[in-house]
Amino acid sequence: MKSLLIKSAIASGVVLSLATLSRPAMAASFAISIENAGVQNANLSNLVDAHIQTFDAQAQGYSATGFQWKDGTKNIGSYKDTLIMNPDQYGAAGGTGKYFDVDTNRSGNDQKVSTLNLTSPQSYFGLWWSAGDANNVLTFLSQGQTVFSMTTADVVNYIAGLSNKASYYGNPNSAFKNQDSGEPFAFINFYDVGGTFDQVQFTNIGGTGFESDNHTVAAGYKSITGDVVTAAVPESSSVLGVFVIGFVGATSVMTRRVKKKSVLQLS
């Protein structure tokens, strides 16, 4: 009987641990960094199976249905509720082509959110964030559950604390050099160090726009590059904690049963 109870205790702990391991990675498992001022592309040599969306081939204007993202014959995913803009002081990497925006006013359709659905799980996402402000939100999901959400106020505050903060402000491209000088421009990296995601939502919570370009996804990465804005917090301690709680709880039940048996024997 005692052997059976011990096995039950161990099994309970294992079940709880597996439940924790199988859930989507939580927010603490993401690391966020920015590249040097003026950089407008991801560090591709650091990425595994990377794909870039430049938006240059997309039609200008708003589309509720969005478009499919293909890299050659490979289907990367699809965008929904998109606003594509021609180059101006607010966006377009290199000052040419087109760029992605979420803007209630410019869309003419009260656009507040745009969604990227990915056909396979990814562990890295990057974008050139242009004409940045504190009202932009990125949310990462896995199987319909939010695994991470961040407001770009964190990046704005980080850049404000840099000794070379002035180099991030104003459009860096020659066609619009130093225009929109009151807003930062930076390439932001998002590393999921504790799992993967299959959807990214872009939300603008203010009356401004959420301009970006060169969206990059990758199945893996070699290391975390750039200046770290937010460091990931390892989840191993929380997993161990749940295992211990489950084991202790089950052991407590076992102990109560043993004590009860002893009392019955004495009586």
Side-chain angles (χ1 to χ4, degrees):
M1 180 65 178
K2 183 177 180 181
S3 175
L4 178 60
L5 289 171
I6 291 174
K7 289 179 180 178
S8 297
I10 294 173
S12 298
V14 170
V15 168
L16 283 170
S17 297
L18 289 175
T20 302
L21 289 169
S22 63
R23 65 174 171 78
M26 299 308 290
S29 69
F30 270 71
I32 305 164
S33 71
I34 59 172
E35 298 294 341
N36 292 334
V39 173
Q40 300 174 46
N41 297 280
N43 181 2
L44 296 180
S45 64
N46 183 54
L47 303 177
V48 178
D49 191 20
H51 303 275
I52 306 170
Q53 175 56 251
T54 65
F55 306 102
D56 294 349
Q58 305 308 317
Q60 191 273 340
Y62 173 78
S63 172
T65 55
F67 61 91
Q68 291 291 122
W69 178 2
K70 288 190 175 183
D71 190 348
T73 59
K74 186 172 183 178
N75 185 18
I76 308 303
S78 61
Y79 283 86
K80 183 180 179 182
D81 294 313
T82 57
L83 175 61
I84 307 300
M85 301 298 297
N86 290 321
D88 57 23
Q89 68 268 34
Y90 302 117
T96 62
K98 296 185 178 72
Y99 68 95
F100 178 88
D101 195 6
V102 179
D103 193 311
T104 300
N105 298 317
R106 292 207 287 182
S107 69
N109 201 28
D110 198 33
Q111 179 209 32
K112 294 183 177 68
V113 182
S114 184
T115 304
L116 167 60
N117 294 300
L118 297 159
T119 56
S120 60
Q122 306 291 311
S123 61
Y124 168 88
F125 178 78
L127 80 170
W128 185 54
W129 178 57
S130 57
D133 60 58
N135 297 318
N136 307 150
V137 181
L138 288 103
T139 304
F140 296 82
L141 299 92
S142 176
Q143 299 177 4
Q145 297 186 49
T146 298
V147 296
F148 179 75
S149 185
M150 186 207 78
T151 303
T152 48
D154 293 345
V155 181
V156 171
N157 293 335
Y158 179 82
I159 292 175
L162 296 175
S163 59
N164 65 331
K165 63 181 179 181
S167 61
Y168 283 92
Y169 280 79
N171 194 311
N173 298 304
S174 58
F176 308 99
K177 190 69 174 178
N178 295 325
Q179 293 185 33
D180 193 31
S181 59
E183 295 185 304
F185 292 67
F187 194 93
I188 310 176
N189 303 297
F190 297 86
Y191 299 94
D192 188 343
V193 302
T196 58
F197 54 88
D198 55 25
Q199 186 182 97
V200 185
Q201 293 179 352
F202 309 86
T203 306
N204 188 46
I205 57 177
T208 59
F210 185 172
E211 300 89 352
S212 63
D213 203 354
N214 287 347
H215 290 189
T216 307
V217 296
Y221 54 89
K222 300 173 185 176
S223 62
I224 294 173
T225 64
D227 296 326
V228 176
V229 176
T230 302
V233 178
E235 290 193 310
S236 57
S237 58
S238 62
V239 172
L240 178 61
V242 172
F243 181 88
V244 171
I245 291 171
F247 185 83
V248 170
T251 304
S252 176
V253 172
M254 179 190 75
T255 303
R256 287 198 300 272
R257 289 180 179 177
V258 171
K259 286 183 177 179
K260 182 177 180 181
K261 181 178 179 181
S262 299
V263 171
L264 289 173
Q265 288 176 340
L266 289 173
S267 60

